[in-house]
Short mmCIF file of all heavy atoms in Angstrom, two decimals:
data_model
loop_
_atom_site.label_atom_id
_atom_site.label_comp_id
_atom_site.label_asym_id
_atom_site.label_seq_id
_atom_site.Cartn_x
_atom_site.Cartn_y
_atom_site.Cartn_z
N THR A 27 -50.35 -37.37 39.32
CA THR A 27 -50.64 -36.20 38.50
C THR A 27 -51.85 -36.42 37.61
O THR A 27 -52.72 -35.56 37.49
CB THR A 27 -49.43 -35.89 37.61
OG1 THR A 27 -48.29 -35.74 38.46
CG2 THR A 27 -49.63 -34.64 36.79
N LYS A 28 -51.90 -37.57 37.01
CA LYS A 28 -52.96 -37.87 36.06
C LYS A 28 -54.36 -37.79 36.70
O LYS A 28 -55.28 -37.24 36.11
CB LYS A 28 -52.75 -39.28 35.50
CG LYS A 28 -53.57 -39.54 34.27
CD LYS A 28 -52.92 -40.58 33.40
CE LYS A 28 -53.66 -40.72 32.08
NZ LYS A 28 -52.94 -41.59 31.15
N GLN A 29 -54.49 -38.33 37.89
CA GLN A 29 -55.78 -38.31 38.57
C GLN A 29 -56.19 -36.89 38.92
O GLN A 29 -57.36 -36.52 38.79
CB GLN A 29 -55.72 -39.12 39.87
CG GLN A 29 -55.68 -40.60 39.61
CD GLN A 29 -55.96 -41.41 40.85
OE1 GLN A 29 -56.84 -41.08 41.65
NE2 GLN A 29 -55.21 -42.48 41.04
N VAL A 30 -55.22 -36.11 39.36
CA VAL A 30 -55.52 -34.72 39.72
C VAL A 30 -55.99 -33.98 38.47
O VAL A 30 -57.01 -33.29 38.47
CB VAL A 30 -54.27 -34.05 40.33
CG1 VAL A 30 -54.49 -32.56 40.49
CG2 VAL A 30 -53.92 -34.70 41.66
N GLU A 31 -55.24 -34.15 37.42
CA GLU A 31 -55.56 -33.53 36.13
C GLU A 31 -56.98 -33.91 35.68
O GLU A 31 -57.76 -33.06 35.25
CB GLU A 31 -54.53 -34.02 35.12
CG GLU A 31 -54.66 -33.47 33.73
CD GLU A 31 -53.54 -34.03 32.84
OE1 GLU A 31 -52.36 -33.77 33.16
OE2 GLU A 31 -53.85 -34.72 31.85
N GLU A 32 -57.30 -35.18 35.80
CA GLU A 32 -58.62 -35.64 35.38
C GLU A 32 -59.74 -34.95 36.14
O GLU A 32 -60.79 -34.63 35.58
CB GLU A 32 -58.73 -37.17 35.55
CG GLU A 32 -57.92 -37.93 34.52
CD GLU A 32 -57.98 -39.45 34.72
OE1 GLU A 32 -58.46 -39.91 35.78
OE2 GLU A 32 -57.55 -40.17 33.81
N ASN A 33 -59.51 -34.70 37.43
CA ASN A 33 -60.55 -34.03 38.20
C ASN A 33 -60.76 -32.59 37.77
O ASN A 33 -61.88 -32.10 37.77
CB ASN A 33 -60.23 -34.11 39.69
CG ASN A 33 -60.55 -35.50 40.25
OD1 ASN A 33 -61.36 -36.23 39.69
ND2 ASN A 33 -59.91 -35.85 41.35
N TYR A 34 -59.66 -31.92 37.38
CA TYR A 34 -59.81 -30.57 36.86
C TYR A 34 -60.60 -30.58 35.55
O TYR A 34 -61.52 -29.78 35.36
CB TYR A 34 -58.44 -29.93 36.62
CG TYR A 34 -57.80 -29.34 37.86
CD1 TYR A 34 -56.98 -30.11 38.68
CD2 TYR A 34 -58.00 -28.01 38.21
CE1 TYR A 34 -56.38 -29.56 39.82
CE2 TYR A 34 -57.40 -27.45 39.33
CZ TYR A 34 -56.60 -28.24 40.14
OH TYR A 34 -56.02 -27.70 41.25
N LEU A 35 -60.27 -31.50 34.68
CA LEU A 35 -60.95 -31.55 33.38
C LEU A 35 -62.44 -31.84 33.56
O LEU A 35 -63.29 -31.21 32.94
CB LEU A 35 -60.31 -32.61 32.48
CG LEU A 35 -58.85 -32.36 32.10
CD1 LEU A 35 -58.32 -33.50 31.23
CD2 LEU A 35 -58.69 -31.02 31.38
N LYS A 36 -62.72 -32.77 34.44
CA LYS A 36 -64.11 -33.12 34.67
C LYS A 36 -64.88 -31.94 35.27
O LYS A 36 -66.01 -31.66 34.87
CB LYS A 36 -64.20 -34.33 35.60
CG LYS A 36 -65.47 -35.13 35.39
CD LYS A 36 -65.52 -36.37 36.23
CE LYS A 36 -65.50 -36.09 37.71
NZ LYS A 36 -66.26 -37.10 38.49
N ALA A 37 -64.26 -31.26 36.21
CA ALA A 37 -64.91 -30.11 36.84
C ALA A 37 -65.22 -29.05 35.78
O ALA A 37 -66.31 -28.48 35.76
CB ALA A 37 -64.01 -29.53 37.92
N LEU A 38 -64.28 -28.80 34.90
CA LEU A 38 -64.51 -27.80 33.85
C LEU A 38 -65.67 -28.21 32.96
O LEU A 38 -66.52 -27.40 32.60
CB LEU A 38 -63.24 -27.63 33.00
CG LEU A 38 -62.22 -26.68 33.60
CD1 LEU A 38 -60.88 -26.77 32.88
CD2 LEU A 38 -62.75 -25.23 33.56
N PHE A 39 -65.72 -29.48 32.64
CA PHE A 39 -66.80 -29.97 31.78
C PHE A 39 -68.16 -29.82 32.47
O PHE A 39 -69.12 -29.36 31.88
CB PHE A 39 -66.55 -31.43 31.41
CG PHE A 39 -67.52 -31.93 30.38
CD1 PHE A 39 -67.29 -31.73 29.02
CD2 PHE A 39 -68.66 -32.62 30.77
CE1 PHE A 39 -68.18 -32.19 28.07
CE2 PHE A 39 -69.56 -33.08 29.82
CZ PHE A 39 -69.32 -32.87 28.47
N LYS A 40 -68.19 -30.20 33.73
CA LYS A 40 -69.44 -30.10 34.49
C LYS A 40 -69.92 -28.66 34.59
O LYS A 40 -71.10 -28.36 34.42
CB LYS A 40 -69.24 -30.64 35.91
CG LYS A 40 -69.00 -32.12 35.97
CD LYS A 40 -70.27 -32.88 36.26
CE LYS A 40 -70.01 -34.38 36.06
NZ LYS A 40 -71.16 -35.22 36.32
N LEU A 41 -68.98 -27.77 34.91
CA LEU A 41 -69.34 -26.36 35.05
C LEU A 41 -69.89 -25.82 33.74
O LEU A 41 -70.88 -25.10 33.70
CB LEU A 41 -68.13 -25.54 35.48
CG LEU A 41 -67.87 -25.48 36.97
CD1 LEU A 41 -66.66 -24.61 37.25
CD2 LEU A 41 -69.09 -24.91 37.71
N LYS A 42 -69.23 -26.16 32.67
CA LYS A 42 -69.64 -25.65 31.36
C LYS A 42 -71.06 -26.12 31.04
O LYS A 42 -71.90 -25.34 30.62
CB LYS A 42 -68.68 -26.14 30.28
CG LYS A 42 -68.87 -25.42 28.96
CD LYS A 42 -68.22 -26.17 27.81
CE LYS A 42 -69.03 -27.42 27.46
NZ LYS A 42 -68.48 -28.12 26.27
N SER A 43 -71.32 -27.41 31.28
CA SER A 43 -72.63 -27.92 30.88
C SER A 43 -73.73 -27.51 31.85
O SER A 43 -74.90 -27.59 31.53
CB SER A 43 -72.59 -29.45 30.72
OG SER A 43 -71.95 -30.04 31.81
N ARG A 44 -73.35 -27.05 33.03
CA ARG A 44 -74.37 -26.66 34.00
C ARG A 44 -74.75 -25.19 33.85
O ARG A 44 -75.90 -24.83 34.00
CB ARG A 44 -73.85 -26.92 35.41
CG ARG A 44 -74.36 -25.92 36.42
CD ARG A 44 -73.74 -26.08 37.77
NE ARG A 44 -73.56 -27.48 38.14
CZ ARG A 44 -73.25 -27.86 39.38
NH1 ARG A 44 -73.13 -26.95 40.33
NH2 ARG A 44 -73.06 -29.12 39.66
N GLU A 45 -73.78 -24.34 33.60
CA GLU A 45 -74.06 -22.91 33.60
C GLU A 45 -73.86 -22.33 32.21
O GLU A 45 -73.05 -22.82 31.44
CB GLU A 45 -73.13 -22.20 34.59
CG GLU A 45 -73.31 -22.72 36.01
CD GLU A 45 -72.46 -21.96 37.00
OE1 GLU A 45 -72.52 -20.73 36.99
OE2 GLU A 45 -71.73 -22.61 37.76
N ILE A 46 -74.59 -21.27 31.92
CA ILE A 46 -74.46 -20.65 30.61
C ILE A 46 -73.26 -19.71 30.57
O ILE A 46 -72.54 -19.64 29.60
CB ILE A 46 -75.75 -19.87 30.23
CG1 ILE A 46 -76.97 -20.76 30.46
CG2 ILE A 46 -75.71 -19.40 28.79
CD1 ILE A 46 -77.94 -20.24 31.50
N LYS A 47 -73.06 -19.00 31.67
CA LYS A 47 -72.00 -17.99 31.68
C LYS A 47 -70.60 -18.62 31.64
O LYS A 47 -70.42 -19.79 31.91
CB LYS A 47 -72.14 -17.10 32.91
CG LYS A 47 -72.07 -17.88 34.21
CD LYS A 47 -72.00 -16.98 35.43
CE LYS A 47 -71.79 -17.84 36.66
NZ LYS A 47 -71.76 -17.09 37.90
N LYS A 48 -69.67 -17.80 31.28
CA LYS A 48 -68.26 -18.22 31.17
C LYS A 48 -67.72 -18.74 32.50
O LYS A 48 -68.05 -18.22 33.55
CB LYS A 48 -67.41 -17.02 30.74
CG LYS A 48 -67.89 -16.29 29.50
CD LYS A 48 -67.55 -17.06 28.25
CE LYS A 48 -68.15 -16.39 27.01
NZ LYS A 48 -68.07 -17.24 25.83
N VAL A 49 -66.89 -19.74 32.43
CA VAL A 49 -66.24 -20.26 33.62
C VAL A 49 -64.94 -19.51 33.86
O VAL A 49 -64.05 -19.53 33.02
CB VAL A 49 -65.94 -21.76 33.47
CG1 VAL A 49 -65.18 -22.27 34.67
CG2 VAL A 49 -67.21 -22.54 33.24
N ASN A 50 -64.84 -18.84 34.98
CA ASN A 50 -63.58 -18.16 35.30
C ASN A 50 -62.87 -18.89 36.44
O ASN A 50 -63.36 -19.88 36.97
CB ASN A 50 -63.83 -16.70 35.62
CG ASN A 50 -64.76 -16.54 36.81
OD1 ASN A 50 -64.86 -17.43 37.65
ND2 ASN A 50 -65.44 -15.41 36.87
N ASN A 51 -61.70 -18.37 36.75
CA ASN A 51 -60.85 -18.99 37.75
C ASN A 51 -61.55 -19.15 39.10
O ASN A 51 -61.50 -20.21 39.71
CB ASN A 51 -59.58 -18.15 37.91
CG ASN A 51 -58.52 -18.89 38.67
OD1 ASN A 51 -58.25 -20.04 38.38
ND2 ASN A 51 -57.93 -18.23 39.65
N ILE A 52 -62.23 -18.11 39.53
CA ILE A 52 -62.93 -18.13 40.82
C ILE A 52 -64.04 -19.18 40.83
O ILE A 52 -64.19 -19.93 41.79
CB ILE A 52 -63.54 -16.74 41.14
CG1 ILE A 52 -62.43 -15.71 41.30
CG2 ILE A 52 -64.43 -16.80 42.37
CD1 ILE A 52 -62.07 -15.36 42.71
N ALA A 53 -64.78 -19.24 39.74
CA ALA A 53 -65.88 -20.21 39.67
C ALA A 53 -65.33 -21.63 39.79
O ALA A 53 -65.87 -22.46 40.52
CB ALA A 53 -66.64 -20.04 38.36
N LEU A 54 -64.24 -21.88 39.09
CA LEU A 54 -63.65 -23.22 39.12
C LEU A 54 -63.11 -23.53 40.51
O LEU A 54 -63.32 -24.62 41.06
CB LEU A 54 -62.55 -23.34 38.06
CG LEU A 54 -61.87 -24.68 37.94
CD1 LEU A 54 -62.87 -25.80 37.68
CD2 LEU A 54 -60.83 -24.65 36.81
N ALA A 55 -62.41 -22.55 41.09
CA ALA A 55 -61.85 -22.74 42.43
C ALA A 55 -62.96 -23.01 43.45
O ALA A 55 -62.84 -23.91 44.29
CB ALA A 55 -61.03 -21.52 42.84
N THR A 56 -64.03 -22.25 43.35
CA THR A 56 -65.16 -22.43 44.26
C THR A 56 -65.76 -23.82 44.10
O THR A 56 -65.97 -24.54 45.08
CB THR A 56 -66.24 -21.36 43.99
OG1 THR A 56 -65.63 -20.07 44.07
CG2 THR A 56 -67.37 -21.46 45.01
N TYR A 57 -66.00 -24.19 42.86
CA TYR A 57 -66.61 -25.50 42.59
C TYR A 57 -65.74 -26.63 43.12
O TYR A 57 -66.23 -27.60 43.70
CB TYR A 57 -66.83 -25.66 41.08
CG TYR A 57 -67.41 -26.99 40.69
CD1 TYR A 57 -68.74 -27.32 41.00
CD2 TYR A 57 -66.65 -27.93 40.01
CE1 TYR A 57 -69.27 -28.55 40.64
CE2 TYR A 57 -67.17 -29.16 39.65
CZ TYR A 57 -68.49 -29.47 39.96
OH TYR A 57 -69.01 -30.68 39.61
N MET A 58 -64.43 -26.53 42.92
CA MET A 58 -63.53 -27.61 43.33
C MET A 58 -63.10 -27.49 44.79
O MET A 58 -62.36 -28.34 45.28
CB MET A 58 -62.31 -27.65 42.42
CG MET A 58 -62.63 -27.99 40.98
SD MET A 58 -61.14 -28.22 39.97
CE MET A 58 -60.61 -29.87 40.48
N GLU A 59 -63.55 -26.44 45.45
CA GLU A 59 -63.13 -26.17 46.83
C GLU A 59 -61.62 -26.11 46.97
O GLU A 59 -61.00 -26.76 47.81
CB GLU A 59 -63.74 -27.21 47.78
CG GLU A 59 -65.27 -27.21 47.73
CD GLU A 59 -65.90 -28.17 48.74
OE1 GLU A 59 -65.63 -28.03 49.93
OE2 GLU A 59 -66.65 -29.09 48.30
N LEU A 60 -61.02 -25.32 46.08
CA LEU A 60 -59.57 -25.12 46.11
C LEU A 60 -59.28 -23.62 46.11
O LEU A 60 -60.15 -22.81 45.76
CB LEU A 60 -58.92 -25.74 44.87
CG LEU A 60 -58.89 -27.27 44.78
CD1 LEU A 60 -58.40 -27.71 43.41
CD2 LEU A 60 -58.02 -27.84 45.89
N ASN A 61 -58.09 -23.28 46.48
CA ASN A 61 -57.65 -21.89 46.50
C ASN A 61 -57.45 -21.40 45.06
O ASN A 61 -56.89 -22.12 44.24
CB ASN A 61 -56.34 -21.82 47.29
CG ASN A 61 -55.91 -20.40 47.54
OD1 ASN A 61 -55.51 -19.71 46.61
ND2 ASN A 61 -56.00 -19.98 48.78
N PRO A 62 -57.89 -20.16 44.75
CA PRO A 62 -57.73 -19.64 43.40
C PRO A 62 -56.29 -19.69 42.89
O PRO A 62 -56.05 -19.91 41.70
CB PRO A 62 -58.20 -18.19 43.52
CG PRO A 62 -59.15 -18.19 44.66
CD PRO A 62 -58.64 -19.22 45.62
N ALA A 63 -55.34 -19.50 43.79
CA ALA A 63 -53.93 -19.54 43.38
C ALA A 63 -53.56 -20.92 42.87
O ALA A 63 -52.84 -21.07 41.88
CB ALA A 63 -53.04 -19.15 44.55
N THR A 64 -54.08 -21.92 43.55
CA THR A 64 -53.84 -23.31 43.15
C THR A 64 -54.39 -23.57 41.76
O THR A 64 -53.72 -24.15 40.89
CB THR A 64 -54.54 -24.26 44.14
OG1 THR A 64 -54.07 -23.97 45.44
CG2 THR A 64 -54.27 -25.70 43.80
N VAL A 65 -55.60 -23.11 41.56
CA VAL A 65 -56.28 -23.36 40.29
C VAL A 65 -55.58 -22.62 39.15
O VAL A 65 -55.36 -23.17 38.07
CB VAL A 65 -57.76 -22.95 40.38
CG1 VAL A 65 -58.43 -23.02 39.03
CG2 VAL A 65 -58.47 -23.86 41.38
N LEU A 66 -55.19 -21.39 39.44
CA LEU A 66 -54.51 -20.60 38.42
C LEU A 66 -53.23 -21.30 37.96
O LEU A 66 -52.96 -21.44 36.76
CB LEU A 66 -54.16 -19.22 38.99
CG LEU A 66 -53.67 -18.18 37.99
CD1 LEU A 66 -54.78 -17.82 37.02
CD2 LEU A 66 -53.18 -16.93 38.72
N GLU A 67 -52.47 -21.76 38.93
CA GLU A 67 -51.22 -22.47 38.63
C GLU A 67 -51.51 -23.70 37.75
O GLU A 67 -50.83 -23.96 36.76
CB GLU A 67 -50.59 -22.89 39.96
CG GLU A 67 -49.19 -23.46 39.85
CD GLU A 67 -48.72 -24.07 41.17
OE1 GLU A 67 -49.56 -24.29 42.09
OE2 GLU A 67 -47.52 -24.33 41.30
N MET A 68 -52.53 -24.43 38.14
CA MET A 68 -52.85 -25.65 37.41
C MET A 68 -53.34 -25.34 36.00
O MET A 68 -53.02 -26.05 35.06
CB MET A 68 -53.90 -26.45 38.18
CG MET A 68 -54.18 -27.82 37.62
SD MET A 68 -52.75 -28.92 37.56
CE MET A 68 -52.50 -29.21 39.31
N MET A 69 -54.09 -24.25 35.86
CA MET A 69 -54.59 -23.89 34.53
C MET A 69 -53.42 -23.62 33.58
O MET A 69 -53.47 -23.96 32.40
CB MET A 69 -55.49 -22.65 34.60
CG MET A 69 -56.88 -22.93 35.16
SD MET A 69 -57.73 -24.34 34.40
CE MET A 69 -57.56 -25.59 35.67
N ARG A 70 -52.35 -23.06 34.13
CA ARG A 70 -51.18 -22.82 33.27
C ARG A 70 -50.56 -24.13 32.84
O ARG A 70 -50.17 -24.30 31.69
CB ARG A 70 -50.16 -21.97 34.03
CG ARG A 70 -50.58 -20.52 34.05
CD ARG A 70 -49.75 -19.69 34.99
NE ARG A 70 -50.24 -18.32 35.02
CZ ARG A 70 -50.02 -17.47 36.00
NH1 ARG A 70 -49.30 -17.84 37.04
NH2 ARG A 70 -50.50 -16.25 35.93
N LYS A 71 -50.49 -25.07 33.76
CA LYS A 71 -49.93 -26.37 33.40
C LYS A 71 -50.80 -27.05 32.35
O LYS A 71 -50.29 -27.61 31.38
CB LYS A 71 -49.83 -27.27 34.64
CG LYS A 71 -48.72 -26.87 35.59
CD LYS A 71 -48.64 -27.86 36.76
CE LYS A 71 -47.81 -27.30 37.91
NZ LYS A 71 -48.06 -28.03 39.17
N LEU A 72 -52.10 -26.98 32.56
CA LEU A 72 -53.01 -27.65 31.61
C LEU A 72 -53.00 -26.93 30.27
O LEU A 72 -53.15 -27.57 29.22
CB LEU A 72 -54.44 -27.72 32.19
CG LEU A 72 -54.60 -28.57 33.44
CD1 LEU A 72 -56.07 -28.64 33.85
CD2 LEU A 72 -54.05 -29.98 33.24
N ALA A 73 -52.80 -25.60 30.30
CA ALA A 73 -52.70 -24.87 29.04
C ALA A 73 -51.44 -25.29 28.28
O ALA A 73 -51.45 -25.49 27.07
CB ALA A 73 -52.71 -23.37 29.30
N ASP A 74 -50.35 -25.46 29.03
CA ASP A 74 -49.10 -25.94 28.41
C ASP A 74 -49.30 -27.30 27.75
O ASP A 74 -48.70 -27.60 26.73
CB ASP A 74 -48.00 -26.09 29.47
CG ASP A 74 -47.37 -24.76 29.82
OD1 ASP A 74 -47.66 -23.76 29.11
OD2 ASP A 74 -46.60 -24.70 30.80
N LYS A 75 -50.13 -28.10 28.38
CA LYS A 75 -50.39 -29.44 27.83
C LYS A 75 -51.49 -29.42 26.78
O LYS A 75 -51.95 -30.48 26.35
CB LYS A 75 -50.82 -30.37 28.96
CG LYS A 75 -49.74 -30.74 29.94
CD LYS A 75 -50.33 -31.73 30.95
CE LYS A 75 -49.26 -32.47 31.72
NZ LYS A 75 -49.88 -33.55 32.54
N ASN A 76 -51.95 -28.23 26.46
CA ASN A 76 -53.01 -28.07 25.44
C ASN A 76 -54.31 -28.78 25.83
O ASN A 76 -55.01 -29.33 24.99
CB ASN A 76 -52.52 -28.57 24.07
CG ASN A 76 -53.46 -28.13 22.96
OD1 ASN A 76 -54.03 -27.04 23.01
ND2 ASN A 76 -53.64 -29.00 21.97
N LEU A 77 -54.63 -28.73 27.11
CA LEU A 77 -55.89 -29.33 27.55
C LEU A 77 -56.93 -28.26 27.85
O LEU A 77 -58.13 -28.51 27.78
CB LEU A 77 -55.65 -30.20 28.79
CG LEU A 77 -54.77 -31.42 28.54
CD1 LEU A 77 -54.37 -32.09 29.84
CD2 LEU A 77 -55.49 -32.42 27.63
#
Side-chain angles (χ1 to χ4, degrees):
Chain A
T27 305
K28 195 153 187 172
Q29 287 194 42
V30 171
E31 181 179 299
E32 287 178 348
N33 283 337
Y34 278 90
L35 297 179
K36 206 175 62 149
L38 277 168
F39 188 85
K40 292 264 170 179
L41 274 182
K42 192 196 73 175
S43 47
R44 147 187 321 192
E45 300 184 51
I46 311 118
K47 59 171 186 182
K48 307 283 175 192
V49 176
N50 60 24
N51 194 47
I52 296 259
L54 182 55
T56 305
Y57 178 71
M58 296 187 77
E59 301 184 58
L60 290 172
N61 189 290
T64 303
V65 172
L66 191 66
E67 189 190 14
M68 187 59 69
M69 285 310 104
R70 282 169 183 159
K71 287 183 195 163
L72 295 184
D74 281 350
K75 290 183 163 188
N76 193 35
L77 295 170

